[in-house]
Amino acid sequence: MSKTNRGNFFEDFTVGQVIRHATPRTVTVGDVSLYSALYGTRFAVQSADSFAEAIGYPRAPVDDLLVFHVVFGKTVPDISLNAVANLGYAGGRFLAPVYPGDTLSAVSEVIGLRENSNGQSGVVYVRSTGFNQDGVEVLDYVRWVMVRKADTSRPAPEPVVPKLPAALAPDSLGNAVPVLDTEGWRDDLSGSTARFGDYEVGERIDHVDGMTVEEAEHMIATRLYQNTAKVHFNQFTEGQGRFGRRLIYGGHVISIARALSFNGLANAFHVAAINGGRHVAPLFAGLTLHAWSEVLDAQELPGREDVGALRLRTIATKDKPTADFPAKTGEEYDPSVILDLDYWVLIPR
């Protein structure tokens, strides 16, 4: 019996299969600092204990997307080690705050399978849940990923494609945020005077800044999350693939876009949910990301007078500033678009 893990191929998955992923991960202040160094994130609640304590947190929580990436990284050896590409996300909920010192683990359930017409690969749908050391659910989400087949002669399974919500309801948001003392919120320290009532549905925001992705940075990020997918870190194998080089982890793109969104959404401190997301095109080192956002919805939360929810669509591009808001023309995306992300954020009222 082999003592090494070749990873699962498409034919190894079955609908209803439950996988408990290895290697629990304690998140430390070192991880938080390295995450800040990689992306330059500047949201005050996650950056300063003093700011977080002034509004009702016991200390600064870990950035929501760092939590996402750590949980995601746990799933990779079992779900996407043999991936061609991660395709999208839906129904993601941030359920409880995470603080330095908390230990995260993950469990996934296969909820759908669909072989591609070429017979070389298929799409695997999984619902992954992250827990802290006390068994509290901190995050759950669905993702779908294209995975290679090892044995192309294996017959295709009966296709099962799960029905996923277009967006999560506002009453499912806010569990990861304590009731805030908004009198303690200082706009001069947060970086913006714009609060919930200052944003309008349909408003578009060009985040102005750009960030070039370096080879070393995305490699460090991938290792930080213990993400072992070959497409991200193994140039020997990927040099023989269709792109001839390593593919940057899609979550790296999401974190850069989120960091860029500070310029225009500085008070939108918490990612409450990921409604859906699509990696439209691959990204490679040496290219520069820009981003813009549209406010899709604005909702008050039941029983909450401290924060409101903005539903945002953030588009990230490669080597193209976003002053003209590139997105779709008909059914086709602008060639520069690499990410189309739909998510809820919370912002003080």
Side-chain angles (χ1 to χ4, degrees):
M1 184 178 68
S2 175
K3 294 181 174 62
T4 58
N5 175 28
R6 68 171 192 156
N8 289 315
F9 290 87
F10 177 74
E11 62 267 31
D12 297 319
F13 294 99
T14 57
V15 174
Q17 180 181 4
V18 175
I19 303 170
R20 182 171 295 279
H21 305 292
T23 318
R25 176 84 151 79
T26 301
V27 182
T28 69
V29 292
D31 296 316
V32 172
S33 294
L34 183 51
Y35 185 85
S36 297
L38 287 167
Y39 303 109
T41 182
R42 291 182 284 162
F43 295 95
V45 173
Q46 290 81 9
S47 296
D49 285 342
S50 57
F51 190 97
E53 291 165 3
I55 61 173
Y57 281 92
R59 61 187 299 196
V62 174
D63 190 284
D64 306 299
L65 291 181
L66 176 54
V67 174
F68 174 84
H69 296 319
V70 170
V71 171
F72 185 102
K74 301 296 95 199
T75 73
V76 168
D78 300 307
I79 304 299
S80 50
L81 192 64
N82 296 303
V84 178
N86 194 55
L87 300 177
Y89 315 91
R93 301 178 299 161
F94 292 84
L95 299 167
V98 173
Y99 299 97
D102 284 344
T103 298
L104 303 180
S105 59
V107 175
S108 295
E109 179 184 0
V110 179
I111 61 172
L113 293 171
R114 176 178 57 81
E115 185 171 296
N116 290 329
S117 59
N118 62 13
Q120 305 296 310
S121 60
V123 179
V124 181
Y125 298 80
V126 296
R127 184 183 305 278
S128 298
T129 305
F131 301 87
N132 69 13
Q133 66 279 0
D134 299 318
V136 175
E137 293 185 21
V138 300
L139 166 69
D140 71 357
Y141 63 94
V142 173
R143 70 160 165 144
W144 49 104
V145 56
M146 189 185 302
V147 180
R148 295 180 178 89
K149 292 183 71 174
D151 180 0
T152 57
S153 68
R154 289 277 292 271
E158 189 70 25
V160 176
V161 178
K163 294 185 70 173
L164 301 172
L168 294 171
D171 61 7
S172 68
L173 310 176
N175 293 334
V177 175
V179 175
L180 302 183
D181 175 10
T182 53
E183 294 296 319
W185 187 285
R186 289 184 52 182
D187 293 337
D188 59 333
L189 297 182
S190 70
S192 175
T193 60
R195 302 222 184 170
F196 176 68
D198 297 310
Y199 291 90
E200 297 182 357
V201 175
E203 181 177 358
R204 291 181 167 189
I205 304 165
D206 174 18
H207 299 303
V208 181
D209 306 309
M211 188 179 298
T212 301
V213 180
E214 303 295 347
E215 202 79 76
E217 291 172 348
H218 85 87
M219 291 292 293
I220 289 170
T222 305
R223 290 193 289 264
L224 176 66
Y225 313 135
Q226 298 175 323
N227 183 335
T228 57
K230 301 169 192 172
V231 294
H232 304 317
F233 70 88
N234 191 328
Q235 181 59 35
F236 178 76
T237 60
E238 296 316 299
Q240 303 168 61
R242 61 181 178 136
F243 296 118
R245 58 189 304 192
R246 288 163 291 190
L247 186 68
I248 290 174
Y249 164 48
H252 194 68
V253 177
I254 293 173
S255 280
I256 293 175
R258 168 70 173 159
L260 293 173
S261 76
F262 178 88
N263 194 349
L265 290 161
N267 284 334
F269 68 99
H270 171 59
V271 177
I274 297 174
N275 295 311
R278 180 181 175 192
H279 296 295
V280 177
L283 179 70
F284 304 101
L287 301 177
T288 299
L289 265 69
H290 293 83
W292 66 273
S293 296
E294 180 180 2
V295 180
L296 300 178
D297 198 0
Q299 293 285 337
E300 297 181 358
L301 301 183
R304 299 292 295 259
E305 298 183 355
D306 54 334
V307 292
L310 299 178
R311 182 180 172 191
L312 303 175
R313 179 194 187 194
T314 293
I315 302 287
T317 63
K318 56 184 178 183
D319 281 355
K320 180 181 175 70
T322 53
D324 60 346
F325 307 113
K328 271 186 170 182
T329 302
E331 293 300 313
E332 298 296 322
Y333 280 94
D334 184 282
S336 69
V337 173
I338 58 173
L339 173 70
D340 190 346
L341 187 67
D342 178 337
Y343 59 111
W344 286 103
V345 296
L346 301 192
I347 186 169
R349 293 172 64 178

